């Protein structure tokens, strides 16, 4: 099946789901929810926040169903919505959050888990210092195996802009990690 016919069938699937056809909605959700949630979790690093963002992204997909013309795959279109929602969520959270509070856990932790958590926290802290665009591009590239062209489609950027964004993100991340 060609990309064109796949995209046409995805457009029809979206329209059928919006009209209330249960099987179409199930197919649509099985196609989109897992990768959408994985992307949101990698950006936000919080299960509840990722679920909230994906729920809002599904709502936005439903609202914009008529605007989907099939110039890209439905998955790419949805990922773009998820990224936009993650960006909005992060922006809102920064306005509401006191940056001095840390999540404390009171559970028993084995010594090797402490070391692993420390490394994860260092990496997460370093990722958080990147701009949201850099972090999103890096997450799409590193964790979702997307090419610069695919990332460009999702983020509304050309390939050169994505390449520069990824290069800057890697340089910044390397510098930040080297200081640790």
């Amino acid at each position: 099946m060609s990309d064109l016919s796949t995209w046409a069938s995805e457009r029809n699937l979206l329209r059928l789901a919006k009209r209330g056809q249960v099987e179409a909605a199930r197919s649509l959700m099985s196609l989109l929810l897992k990768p959408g949630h994985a992307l949101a979790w990698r950006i936000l690093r919080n299960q509840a926040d990722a679920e909230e963002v994906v729920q809002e992204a599904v709502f936005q997909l439903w609202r914009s169903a008529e605007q989907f013309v099939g110039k890209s795959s439905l998955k790419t279109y949805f990922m773009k919505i998820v990224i936009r929602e993650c960006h909005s969520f992060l922006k809102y959270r920064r306005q509401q959050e006191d940056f001095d509070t840390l999540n404390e856990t009171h559970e028993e932790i084995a010594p090797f888990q402490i070391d692993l958590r420390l490394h994860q926290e260092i990496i997460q802290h370093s990722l958080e210092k990147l701009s949201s665009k850099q972090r999103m591009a890096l997450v799409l590239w590193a964790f979702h195996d997307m090419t610069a062209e695919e990332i460009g489609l999702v983020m509304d950027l050309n390939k050169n802009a994505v390449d520069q964004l990824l290069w800057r993100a890697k340089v910044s991340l390397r510098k930040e990690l080297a200081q640790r």
Side-chain angles (χ1 to χ4, degrees):
M1 187 184 302
S2 75
D3 285 345
L4 188 59
S5 62
T6 300
W7 294 343
S9 65
E10 288 177 343
R11 187 174 56 226
N12 289 333
L13 182 66
L14 178 58
R15 290 198 174 118
L16 289 171
K18 188 163 181 188
R19 288 185 194 141
Q21 291 193 3
V22 175
E23 284 306 311
R26 281 189 185 132
S27 295
L28 189 67
M29 292 302 105
S30 71
L31 174 72
L32 301 175
L33 287 183
K34 190 173 181 176
H37 184 270
L39 175 62
W41 185 86
R42 293 231 195 261
I43 293 170
L44 302 172
R45 304 300 286 179
N46 180 291
Q47 182 77 12
D49 294 345
E51 289 172 2
E52 182 179 330
V53 162
V54 170
Q55 183 177 14
E56 182 62 29
V58 169
F59 176 70
Q60 293 300 326
L61 176 67
W62 243 242
R63 287 183 54 203
S64 67
E66 287 77 31
Q67 295 172 358
F68 177 68
V69 292
K71 289 183 179 177
S72 65
S73 72
L74 186 58
K75 184 178 174 184
T76 300
Y77 183 74
F78 184 68
M79 296 299 241
K80 187 175 181 177
I81 294 171
V82 170
I83 284 180
R84 207 174 324 126
E85 291 302 318
C86 284
H87 183 68
S88 295
F89 184 86
L90 288 170
K91 203 174 189 182
Y92 174 77
R93 184 169 69 183
R94 281 191 187 124
Q95 293 170 354
Q96 302 297 317
E97 186 176 77
D98 177 14
F99 290 106
D100 295 331
T101 60
L102 297 173
N103 293 335
E104 294 182 309
T105 57
H106 300 288
E107 59 193 53
E108 285 290 318
I109 301 174
F112 70 90
Q113 288 176 317
I114 292 171
D115 192 42
L116 179 62
R117 280 192 176 179
L118 180 60
H119 289 293
Q120 288 173 339
E121 286 178 21
I122 289 170
I123 291 170
Q124 183 59 33
H125 181 70
S126 299
L127 282 171
E128 287 172 0
K129 289 194 172 190
L130 298 175
S131 74
S132 59
K133 277 189 173 184
Q134 288 177 341
R135 186 170 52 247
M136 286 179 199
L138 196 59
V139 164
L140 290 170
W141 174 78
F143 298 108
H144 292 276
D145 296 323
M146 291 179 116
T147 64
E149 292 87 6
E150 293 169 328
I151 295 169
L153 283 173
V154 170
M155 296 181 70
D156 278 335
L157 299 170
N158 66 39
K159 182 192 176 301
N160 289 338
V162 172
D163 287 335
Q164 290 176 8
L165 199 59
L166 286 170
W167 183 80
R168 286 185 188 123
K170 290 174 191 176
V171 167
S172 296
L173 194 58
R174 228 179 267 123
K175 282 181 184 176
E176 181 64 30
L177 292 172
Q179 293 175 357
R180 303 236 166 216

